[in-house]
Amino acid sequence: MSRPEPPVRPAVRITVGQVAVSDDRAANRQLVAEAFSVAAHRRSDLLVLPEYTSAFDPHGVGAAYAEPLTGPFVRLLRERAEATGVAVVAGTVLPGTGDLAVNAVVAVDGTGELVGVYRKVHLYDAFGHRESDRLEAGPADAPPVVLDVAGVRFGVLTCYDLRFPESARRLVDAGADALVVPAAWADGEHKAMHWRTLAIARAIENTSAVVAVGQAGKGVVGRSIVVGPDGVVGLELDDEPGLRTVDLDAEALAAVRERNPSLANRRYRVVPKD
């Protein structure tokens, strides 16, 4: 007698980890371990943590904060993902060329496998900041990083990339149903408004969910937000640290694209500039 098929989960459960990161790497790893425990307790499929989760200084992050993919931060992500079955997307800092580092986001699946590494393409040389003084940009033509979690494909970009619609569209062209945006979005005049507006715009124009997770703390806005593919905000945090959990309905994602086939109707494609 054959066994009945297990019920299909109607949604992907995501825990948004809006944590306050410091320059204390051990303390940051403890924050990550605690976030995994919460996500596992809530039976989440995916934990999303901010840009620079491994270590952060609001005055600038460079080579002094870098560690390899085999180092303790990524190793912790992989160990906790394997132990809990929770996939994770999180920002870190990798060694670069010479005195430079690389602002990177790693994607680890629920078995602990390192599925992809996104090296930030658009460095934050704006609003009085110059990431390029300390960091080297990732190659614009690198393959898009897309993580499959419970049948939903999450495309990875980070922070300042949110201002460049081409980055999001390239991920959608690679099959992404949702966009994950770890960030340490710098505070300043109108900046929180820009963050919110751009996250909603990327969702609407790509008919994709957007999971934008910001750091909390000094010099950054926090205000993590989850937006549906129709532009409706389903979850929004303030500027305080917090772990919140939300479900994304895969069938609803598909239904929005059926009603609004703007991706199929477009007449242009995105190609790297360099």
Side-chain angles (χ1 to χ4, degrees):
M1 183 177 178
S2 62
R3 293 183 178 181
E5 292 292 325
V8 176
R9 287 192 61 177
V12 177
R13 181 160 292 173
I14 302 167
T15 291
V16 170
Q18 182 170 292
V19 295
V21 180
S22 72
D23 58 1
D24 185 332
R25 300 187 200 192
N28 296 333
R29 292 195 297 272
Q30 182 61 36
L31 278 177
V32 170
E34 292 169 358
F36 263 107
S37 295
V38 171
H41 179 73
R42 296 176 182 175
R43 299 185 179 180
S44 295
D45 301 294
L46 174 66
L47 170 64
V48 183
L49 296 164
E51 182 183 31
Y52 293 129
T53 301
S54 58
F56 182 66
D57 182 340
H59 300 293
V61 176
Y65 294 86
E67 60 180 67
L69 291 171
T70 55
F73 181 74
V74 175
R75 188 164 64 244
L76 172 69
L77 296 181
R78 298 186 65 181
E79 289 172 352
R80 297 314 303 154
E82 182 180 18
T84 61
V86 178
V88 64
V89 173
T92 188
V93 186
L94 303 177
T97 303
D99 294 332
L100 298 177
V102 174
N103 182 344
V105 178
V106 295
V108 177
D109 69 16
T111 71
E113 182 72 21
L114 180 61
V115 172
V117 181
Y118 169 66
R119 293 166 172 82
K120 189 177 184 182
V121 169
H122 296 104
L123 298 183
Y124 187 49
D125 288 357
F127 296 95
H129 296 261
R130 281 194 57 82
E131 275 192 328
S132 62
D133 288 345
R134 301 172 297 276
L135 303 173
E136 63 182 19
D141 60 352
V145 175
V146 181
L147 173 67
D148 191 309
V149 181
V152 174
R153 292 172 59 79
F154 292 86
V156 178
L157 60 160
T158 188
C159 203
Y160 191 44
D161 291 327
L162 193 62
R163 293 183 180 273
F164 299 87
E166 302 87 355
S167 291
R169 182 56 57 85
R170 190 164 181 258
L171 288 165
V172 171
D173 284 347
D177 307 300
L179 304 170
V180 183
V181 193
W185 196 265
D187 202 0
E189 186 179 14
H190 306 312
K191 294 296 295 301
M193 179 269 287
H194 289 183
W195 164 255
R196 187 179 196 274
T197 301
L198 290 165
I200 294 171
R202 298 295 86 83
I204 293 171
E205 70 198 8
N206 291 293
T207 54
S208 299
V210 170
V211 183
V213 179
Q215 269 197 45
K218 184 178 180 180
V220 288
V221 303
R223 303 191 182 281
S224 299
I225 185 170
V226 178
V227 189
D230 52 5
V232 175
V233 175
L235 176 69
E236 192 166 9
L237 279 65
D238 58 16
D239 58 356
E240 294 297 318
L243 297 171
R244 298 282 298 278
T245 300
V246 64
D247 288 347
L248 284 185
D249 188 325
E251 292 184 358
L253 290 172
V256 168
R257 287 185 173 178
E258 184 176 354
R259 290 195 307 273
N260 176 17
S262 58
L263 292 175
N265 293 339
R266 66 196 176 102
R267 302 288 300 277
Y268 298 94
R269 62 190 177 96
V270 173
V271 295
K273 180 180 177 181
D274 300 318

